[in-house]
Amino acid sequence: MTAKQKLLSVPHLLGIEGLTRDDAILILDTAQSFVEVNSRQLKKVPALRGRLVALLFFENSTRTRLSFELAAKRLSADTLNFSASGSSVQKGETLLDTARNIEAMGPDLVVVRHEASGAPWHLSRVMSGAIANAGDGQHEHPTQALLDAFTLLSRWRRTAAQGLDGKTVCIVGDISRSRVARSNMLLLKLLGARVRVAGPATMLPAALADVYGVDVYDDVDDALFSGDGVDAVMMLRIQKERAARAVMGSDDDYAVGYGLHRERFDRLHAANDGIVVMHPGPINRGVEIDAAVADSSSSVILDQTENGVAVRMAVLYLLAVGMARTDVGSAA
Ligand code: CP
């Protein structure tokens, strides 16, 4: 650790809730320094050499899992890869017993994705390493929100300290079951953005406006076009794995009513030719977003994935330097 290294105010990244604006700025600024590392021919720094990062994925993942693994490797850490499928969870082993056995192998950092909200918090009580939440149930997906904010700041050529003042971001979709929406509402507001959320009434939890300070619409066109309009739109997948069939209509009805289809996008682009289109993935093309829109020059979907590596390097690095028992090398 360098003498000037700033520390997060929290020992674990369990959610955006609990982070200060300074914490968010520290993570985003540190991620910026790792973008430079990732642009080098030799994309590796020795910061976590000799450290062990356990990647515990009890739920499916492509982007989060691979980018956390790549982040750990670029920091020169060793990795333990666990996925519930193919593990002894299939034989009935509990989360607690799984955690105790992995703890016995001595991980310094533990990345966890789990279908149960609060699972990372429980692990933080029984494991000695620092925990990074890689998505827990309907609760939070903090590194997704951080990489989304990083992507917006990059697109708008702003520093993290400058924040998102004066910008309006609209999140569209299954707000009630989306951990991405929850973490983004918290972080975008923390960084100064105005936030609108839109979706079918069955996908909008009560008291959103009061709890998160966002503007709530059950008509997506009102959300996108009323007032001064929006600067970015974040389309979300319907969380079919978490939704009761009763709250969902057909995919075709959803696409017409709430999807970012070509006609809606053309209108949006005509209103603001700098509109930024986001999606955390995985995409259901033709449902919440048309293929032509996802692949358009307004889309930053693959930038989000690319930035996820630098952001997760920053999270692993800062959690490691925050651990009193860990003496960590320089990020450079
Ligand atoms: N955005 C996201 O969490 O994607 P994965 O489920 O593929 O990790």
Side-chain angles (χ1 to χ4, degrees):
M1 189 190 327
T2 64
K4 286 184 187 163
Q5 177 64 57
K6 291 186 192 163
L7 298 177
L8 295 173
S9 68
V10 289
H12 309 283
L13 181 65
L14 302 179
I16 299 299
E17 188 173 16
L19 289 189
T20 64
R21 183 176 163 119
D22 282 348
D23 288 330
I25 290 171
L26 176 58
I27 295 170
L28 295 166
D29 282 346
T30 306
Q32 190 61 56
S33 70
F34 285 126
V35 166
E36 187 276 315
V37 170
N38 289 338
S39 71
R40 295 178 192 167
Q41 200 165 15
L42 186 61
K43 302 171 183 15
K44 207 158 177 129
V45 289
L48 296 189
R49 191 165 52 202
R51 307 296 163 198
L52 180 59
V53 178
L55 304 159
L56 311 187
F57 280 75
F58 293 83
E59 252 192 359
N60 295 340
S61 169
T62 297
R63 283 146 288 270
T64 312
R65 180 187 184 127
L66 291 176
S67 59
F68 260 121
E69 183 177 357
L70 185 56
K73 287 179 170 163
R74 291 217 168 142
L75 294 169
S76 304
D78 295 319
T79 54
L80 268 182
N81 282 288
F82 168 93
S83 56
S85 60
S87 78
S88 290
V89 168
Q90 304 306 323
K91 302 176 197 166
E93 192 162 40
T94 64
L95 171 63
L96 186 57
D97 281 332
T98 302
R100 282 181 175 145
N101 280 274
I102 289 167
E103 172 72 3
M105 300 178 209
D108 299 284
L109 295 150
V110 179
V111 175
V112 60
R113 168 170 289 193
H114 200 280
E115 64 272 18
S117 299
W121 180 85
H122 281 289
L123 292 194
S124 74
R125 303 277 141 165
V126 297
M127 300 185 83
S128 54
I131 309 290
N133 180 359
D136 62 329
Q138 300 177 194
H139 175 228
E140 282 224 41
H141 193 349
T143 57
Q144 179 69 46
L146 286 159
L147 73 88
D148 291 339
F150 187 91
T151 302
L152 287 173
L153 290 165
S154 301
R155 186 75 164 197
W156 292 329
R157 297 183 190 282
R158 292 191 182 188
T159 64
Q162 286 172 322
L164 296 170
D165 289 355
K167 297 292 188 183
T168 301
V169 181
C170 185
I171 306 172
V172 181
D174 184 1
I175 307 299
S176 58
R177 276 162 287 276
S178 174
R179 56 195 178 205
V180 173
R182 201 171 316 283
S183 289
N184 262 295
M185 288 188 287
L186 291 165
L187 185 60
L188 291 167
K189 294 291 294 182
L190 196 61
L191 294 173
R194 288 187 298 267
V195 179
R196 298 178 180 183
V197 298
T202 52
M203 296 180 181
L204 293 171
L208 265 180
D210 291 342
V211 174
Y212 295 99
V214 299
D215 299 320
V216 183
Y217 300 82
D218 61 11
D219 182 313
V220 70
D221 292 312
D222 284 348
L224 295 175
F225 299 110
S226 66
D228 293 332
V230 302
D231 299 290
V233 58
M234 183 183 297
M235 304 306 297
L236 300 179
R237 184 176 65 88
I238 303 171
Q239 302 278 301
K240 289 184 179 175
E241 68 274 34
R242 298 184 221 288
R245 195 74 224 170
V247 303
M248 292 161 41
S250 73
D251 283 354
D252 286 347
D253 286 347
Y254 185 85
V256 171
Y258 292 92
L260 193 54
H261 50 66
R262 191 64 209 233
E263 189 187 342
R264 186 168 278 136
F265 171 73
D266 285 346
R267 203 178 146 208
L268 195 54
H269 193 265
N272 175 4
D273 63 8
I275 187 71
V276 179
V277 175
M278 312 180 81
H279 193 306
I283 295 172
N284 291 130
R285 289 172 183 254
V287 183
E288 72 271 11
I289 190 167
D290 272 6
V293 180
D295 300 334
S296 72
S297 59
S298 299
S299 166
V300 294
I301 293 171
L302 295 180
D303 303 76
Q304 291 172 264
T305 303
E306 181 181 353
N307 292 331
V309 178
V311 165
R312 289 171 175 130
M313 287 171 80
V315 167
L316 293 177
Y317 175 74
L318 290 168
L319 289 177
V321 295
M323 292 174 68
R325 70 189 176 92
T326 307
D327 188 16
V328 174
S330 153

